[in-house]
Amino acid sequence: MHRRDFVRHGTLWTGAALFGLGRFPHRLYAADRAKQAQDVVSLGRTGLRVTRLAQGTGTSGVGGSSNQTRGLGEQGLADLLVAGVDHGVRFWDLADQYGSHPHAKRALGTVKREQVTILTKTHASTEAEMRADLDRFRREIGTDRLDIVLLHNMQSAEWPKEKAGAMAVLSEAREKGIIRAHGTSCHTLGALRTAAALDWVEVDLARLNPAEVAMDADPATVVSVLRTMKQKGKGVIGMKILGAGRLRSRIDEALQFALAQDVLDSFTIGAESVAEFQDLLKRIPAASVRA
């Protein structure tokens, strides 16, 4: 079976195989030509053009901090974001939960705002909470507009009812040009299916890797839902590509798997140092064509 047919029909390598009960089938996932982290791709039908790789800032992100903010500090993470732009990666994945807004603001002291696409995430539910977040986020990041704002960590399949107020404010903000697209970050299969069905979702951040680590369901099931999203023109960004760090010993296989998925426009990975980021830039093209 040709690689494209293999991926299209959802025949995915299992976690058991990835962890040593079989060899990863590189030839089935190998691209015809190398894919680069810096490749510029369309994010669904949003009109946004982003790099294939987004710089994540939220590894183990909780309570307003993350591995990046804790380990690097404000200047260190800002320097990492700037290094990414210098190397052609111009997509920043932020969140209130990670506490990474001030770090991005410091980076924007060096990087021109128009050089980067900025994604951030909110836990707001009501109209008042969402209005306050939009004002605070822009102040913290130092920008008058945000490119993508996602409702963070949707777990209930009924999230549109629970987040109706916030959704209304984000729709209004999009009409006014305060944001360019809105959507969700999903953490259960029910929430993901709801996001796929709802026209309001323009962008979704979805968990996907070949080993079913820190995911909402098995890879084939997730891919089937993401295919529905793509058919509806939604932008899809992959996360947990390395299984929240648990697949670091099989990074090349995990990268190749993500790069082969036609349901992903781009994906986010949170490097924790400039050296780690530069290593990732080298691994992505090599992994994409490995046979």
Side-chain angles (χ1 to χ4, degrees):
M1 183 182 290
H2 193 279
R3 182 193 69 85
R4 291 188 182 89
D5 293 328
F6 183 89
V7 175
R8 184 179 299 115
H9 287 90
T11 308
L12 303 172
W13 202 237
T14 67
L18 183 63
F19 284 108
L21 299 182
R23 293 177 59 84
F24 187 89
H26 293 283
R27 63 184 179 82
L28 296 175
Y29 291 91
D32 297 329
R33 57 184 178 179
K35 296 180 179 181
Q36 309 288 335
Q38 302 91 337
D39 290 340
V40 177
V41 300
S42 295
L43 189 57
R45 297 176 191 159
T46 64
L48 291 165
R49 300 273 290 166
V50 301
T51 49
R52 187 182 306 281
L53 178 66
Q55 281 190 272
T57 61
T59 306
S60 300
V62 64
S65 70
S66 68
N67 286 1
Q68 284 79 13
T69 63
R70 290 186 294 267
L72 296 173
E74 189 169 302
Q75 187 63 56
L77 180 49
D79 290 344
L80 180 56
L81 292 172
V82 171
V85 175
D86 288 343
H87 284 82
V89 175
R90 302 187 171 192
F91 190 8
W92 294 351
D93 173 21
L94 314 175
D96 191 28
Q97 179 171 309
Y98 312 154
S100 54
H101 292 166
H103 309 70
K105 182 175 184 177
R106 184 175 288 268
L108 287 176
T110 301
V111 173
K112 293 181 180 179
R113 175 65 182 88
E114 61 268 22
Q115 288 184 283
V116 291
T117 300
I118 296 179
L119 176 156
T120 191
K121 313 176 196 75
T122 175
H123 286 294
S125 296
T126 67
E127 289 191 19
E129 289 169 347
M130 190 68 255
R131 291 186 195 283
D133 273 4
L134 284 177
D135 288 343
R136 178 168 59 85
F137 289 5
R138 288 181 292 161
R139 184 171 62 253
E140 289 175 347
I141 298 170
T143 180
D144 60 358
R145 63 176 174 83
L146 301 166
D147 296 301
I148 306 166
V149 178
L150 304 182
L151 301 176
H152 201 172
N153 190 14
M154 296 301 94
Q155 297 191 22
S156 168
E158 301 298 316
W159 63 260
K161 295 179 182 178
E162 299 162 1
K163 299 287 183 173
M167 292 167 65
V169 172
L170 288 175
S171 294
E172 177 187 280
R174 185 180 181 280
E175 291 175 3
K176 292 181 176 179
I178 295 171
I179 69 172
R180 298 180 65 187
H182 45 62
T184 47
S185 160
C186 294
H187 285 252
T188 69
L189 182 60
L192 188 68
R193 284 176 167 157
T194 298
L198 194 67
D199 288 343
W200 182 87
V201 175
E202 299 171 313
V203 177
D204 187 75
L205 188 59
R207 304 193 288 186
L208 184 63
N209 60 66
E212 199 177 336
V213 175
M215 279 178 53
D216 304 331
D218 63 274
T221 298
V222 171
V223 166
S224 71
V225 179
L226 300 186
R227 192 165 305 286
T228 297
M229 287 186 171
K230 292 305 301 172
Q231 289 168 348
K232 292 186 174 184
K234 301 178 190 297
V236 181
I237 304 166
M239 63 172 165
K240 299 297 186 288
I241 301 304
L242 303 183
R246 291 163 59 189
L247 303 183
R248 286 181 182 273
S249 65
R250 305 302 296 270
I251 185 171
D252 295 323
E253 289 92 338
L255 286 173
Q256 187 172 35
F257 177 84
L259 290 161
Q261 303 306 316
D262 60 3
V263 296
L264 295 182
D265 296 315
S266 61
F267 53 82
T268 179
I269 295 177
E272 296 181 30
S273 68
V274 172
E276 190 172 275
F277 175 74
Q278 291 176 334
D279 180 65
L280 191 59
L281 296 187
K282 294 176 182 177
R283 286 179 179 270
I284 284 174
S288 69
V289 295
R290 184 175 176 183

